[in-house]
Amino acid sequence: YDRPKQIVCEEHGKPAKTLWKVLARYPDKNQSRLSLTPHTGRTHQLRVHCAHAQGLNMPIVGDDLYGRRTNRLHLHAKRLTITHPVSQKSMTFKVESEF
C-alpha cells in the first residue's frame, strides 16, 4: 500500500521512449484500446506515459497507482521476446488478451 509513484523529471530523470497507436475507440466508455511499444525499460514506463499530463493523459484501466482501481489492470503483453540465460537463444512468446 506504500508503493512509490515514478515521476517525470526533466532535470535528473532518464529518457524513456514509448511508441503508441490507437487500435480502437470506445466513446461511450471514454476509453481507447492502444498498442504500446516501449523502446526503453524504465520502471512503470507504460503506466506513467499513459497517465502523465505530458504523456497521453489517460491512465490505463484498472491502474490503482496512476489511475483508478477496477477488477484488474488492463495491461497485457501480446508478445514478449527474451534471450534465454543459458542457451542465449532468442525466445518469443505470444498470447492474445482477454479484454
Side-chain angles (χ1 to χ4, degrees):
Y1 294 110
D2 193 22
R3 295 180 298 166
K5 286 186 179 181
Q6 302 302 308
I7 63 169
V8 174
C9 178
E10 300 291 335
E11 184 177 351
H12 301 292
K14 295 178 181 177
K17 180 179 177 182
T18 301
L19 298 181
W20 60 277
K21 179 181 176 184
V22 175
L23 300 178
R25 296 180 193 276
Y26 308 103
D28 55 320
K29 296 180 182 181
N30 196 26
Q31 296 177 352
S32 297
R33 183 180 179 94
L34 304 177
S35 170
L36 302 169
T37 306
H39 284 258
T40 49
R42 306 289 174 237
T43 302
H44 296 186
Q45 177 175 323
L46 299 179
R47 295 167 73 180
V48 171
H49 281 173
C50 285
H52 198 275
Q54 293 177 355
L56 297 177
N57 200 25
M58 54 180 192
I60 297 170
V61 172
D63 188 343
D64 63 342
L65 188 57
Y66 300 96
R68 285 190 292 235
R69 177 185 299 249
T70 59
N71 62 329
R72 61 164 292 180
L73 177 63
H74 287 238
L75 179 61
H76 176 80
K78 181 177 180 178
R79 183 180 69 230
L80 180 66
T81 301
I82 63 169
T83 302
H84 190 278
V86 176
S87 70
Q88 298 300 307
K89 290 184 180 179
S90 180
M91 301 175 70
T92 300
F93 304 91
K94 297 179 184 179
V95 66
E96 293 299 321
S97 73
E98 300 172 359
F99 48 88

